[in-house]
Amino acid sequence: MQIVQNKREQRPMSGVHFQPPDAIDPLGDVLHMLRLNGTLYCRAELAAPWGVALPQMDNSMLFIVIISGEGWMRLAGRPPLLVREGSMVVLPRGTPVDLASAADGQAVPLFDLPATKVSERYEMMEIAGPGAVTRAMTGVVSFDDVAARRLVDLLPELLIVDRWHDAAGGWLRSTLDLISHEAAALKPGGEAVITRLADILIIQAIRTWLDTAAEAQTGWLAALRDAQLGRALAAIHRAPGDEWTLERLSRLAGMSRSGFAARFSEMVGQPAMRYLTEWRLQKARLAIANGNEPIGQIARKAGYLSEAAFGRAFKQTFGESPGSLRRAG
């Protein structure tokens, strides 16, 4: 089929200069680096009395959505918390938690309860009883990036999103409704839909905390938001293996070398070059543990000219050699 181009598009535009907006968004980059991967989703229909003890989920986030009914959530060191219909609970570090029909009800370990496997990552659970029915959906999502881990370490143990909260707006109600619909009747492609919707809810829960929590306005998170330091941090995160120097980073930030160094140390909590070194090594450690890329190639990507120098720095930081970590992985 012949394509005819509009002649008006061929004429040069004189006197019009388009300047794209600054696309640097260091905090947005960190949220993007979460790269959530759904590990397991479970739809549960629970008739009282019931109780489920969810175990520690290492390097993962756990979320619970109460589709209908309610349940009591118990975390070590906290009083029981009633979670009602339309609420979502996120445990950023996969902390063990009990969910039960009564505040003091017994909870059975999750893996001791029967479940019907629908697919590789989706299962259904039913607990029969004479009491009120609660329908819930739980999910475990993993993350695997240095920025993600640093962010998750700063998050509180527990995030709660209430669909009826004014600040949540219509997006939360509609998204929860969609998850409820897909979980109730798992149609072709439903697992993919639930995965994407769950990712949205988790990211939105984190964004709400970042926007409202006082502790999210200090330290590394505040440095990411800073107009000058944010540019330098974004550059390190995007290309850690580049030949960064304090001079280059300070120019990128639009600051003097001494002013940049002092401000970076004050806000981030460590000197810029030490931050760069730790970032490179953490990225390299993840690559060694989770992939098959040659260690020498990983060392070069981390900014090291020799594998031997990389190995020495790696062992000094982590207490083991890159080869030992690869064999253990």
Side-chain angles (χ1 to χ4, degrees):
M1 181 176 66
Q2 185 179 9
I3 299 176
V4 180
Q5 186 177 19
N6 190 320
K7 292 183 179 179
R8 286 179 297 179
E9 296 177 356
Q10 298 177 357
R11 292 202 298 260
M13 296 179 66
S14 58
V16 177
H17 302 281
F18 173 70
Q19 179 65 39
D22 189 355
I24 296 176
D25 179 13
L27 193 54
D29 283 352
V30 169
L31 287 173
H32 177 69
M33 288 173 185
L34 280 171
R35 294 173 187 160
L36 301 174
N37 298 303
T39 303
L40 179 66
Y41 299 92
C42 177
R43 175 183 168 236
E45 188 161 314
L46 313 164
W50 55 269
V52 181
L54 299 163
Q56 173 70 45
M57 304 292 182
D58 292 327
N59 297 324
S60 300
M61 292 186 185
L62 170 68
F63 73 87
I64 302 167
V65 176
I66 303 298
I67 296 170
S68 64
E70 60 185 29
W72 286 90
M73 189 179 67
R74 300 193 298 258
L75 278 169
R78 292 172 175 259
L81 175 68
L82 183 61
V83 185
R84 294 187 171 89
E85 175 181 337
S87 295
M88 177 183 183
V89 175
V90 180
L91 299 158
R93 289 180 287 280
T95 310
V97 62
D98 291 353
L99 193 65
S101 55
D104 56 354
Q106 183 181 2
V108 179
L110 172 67
F111 298 117
D112 290 348
L113 293 167
T116 302
K117 198 173 185 65
V118 178
S119 69
E120 191 63 31
R121 295 193 304 173
Y122 195 94
E123 61 185 30
M124 300 176 69
M125 176 188 296
E126 184 175 352
I127 297 178
V133 174
T134 294
R135 294 178 178 85
M137 197 189 100
T138 62
V140 179
V141 294
S142 61
F143 49 89
D144 200 21
D145 190 275
V146 176
R149 292 171 186 269
R150 185 158 186 153
L151 172 61
V152 169
D153 286 344
L154 295 174
L155 292 174
E157 183 181 40
L158 176 69
L159 295 171
I160 300 179
V161 183
D162 184 349
R163 68 175 290 179
W164 306 116
H165 195 283
D166 290 339
W171 67 264
L172 178 57
R173 291 192 293 273
S174 59
T175 306
L176 284 173
D177 287 343
L178 280 172
I179 284 185
S180 301
H181 175 74
E182 292 293 337
L186 193 62
K187 300 177 181 178
E191 183 181 319
V193 172
I194 289 172
T195 300
R196 302 299 184 271
L197 292 175
D199 288 354
I200 290 171
L201 284 178
I202 292 171
I203 294 295
Q204 289 285 23
I206 294 173
R207 286 175 65 183
T208 299
W209 180 82
L210 289 171
D211 289 340
T212 58
E215 58 268 36
Q217 317 305 318
T218 61
W220 179 67
L221 292 173
L224 287 171
R225 289 186 173 96
D226 185 88
Q228 294 174 300
L229 293 186
R231 287 198 293 270
L233 286 167
I236 290 173
H237 297 167
R238 293 173 180 178
D242 280 10
E243 296 181 7
W244 296 114
T245 63
L246 195 60
E247 183 69 29
R248 278 192 67 196
L249 290 171
S250 61
R251 283 202 307 268
L252 190 63
M255 302 176 67
S256 69
R257 187 175 182 274
S258 59
F260 172 79
R263 190 165 168 187
F264 193 102
S265 296
E266 179 185 357
M267 295 191 71
V268 179
Q270 62 184 154
M273 300 314 290
R274 185 183 302 170
Y275 179 91
L276 172 63
T277 298
E278 290 186 4
W279 194 271
R280 287 171 165 174
L281 291 173
Q282 289 285 359
K283 292 281 287 187
R285 188 174 189 274
L286 286 174
I288 292 169
N290 299 329
N292 297 313
E293 188 177 6
I295 291 176
Q297 191 170 327
I298 293 173
R300 288 190 294 275
K301 286 184 177 179
Y304 288 84
L305 298 178
S306 76
E307 189 172 337
F310 170 71
R312 287 192 296 271
F314 192 96
K315 188 167 186 177
Q316 184 177 7
T317 301
F318 301 114
E320 62 178 335
S321 68
S324 297
L325 177 62
R326 170 61 58 81
R327 288 190 292 274

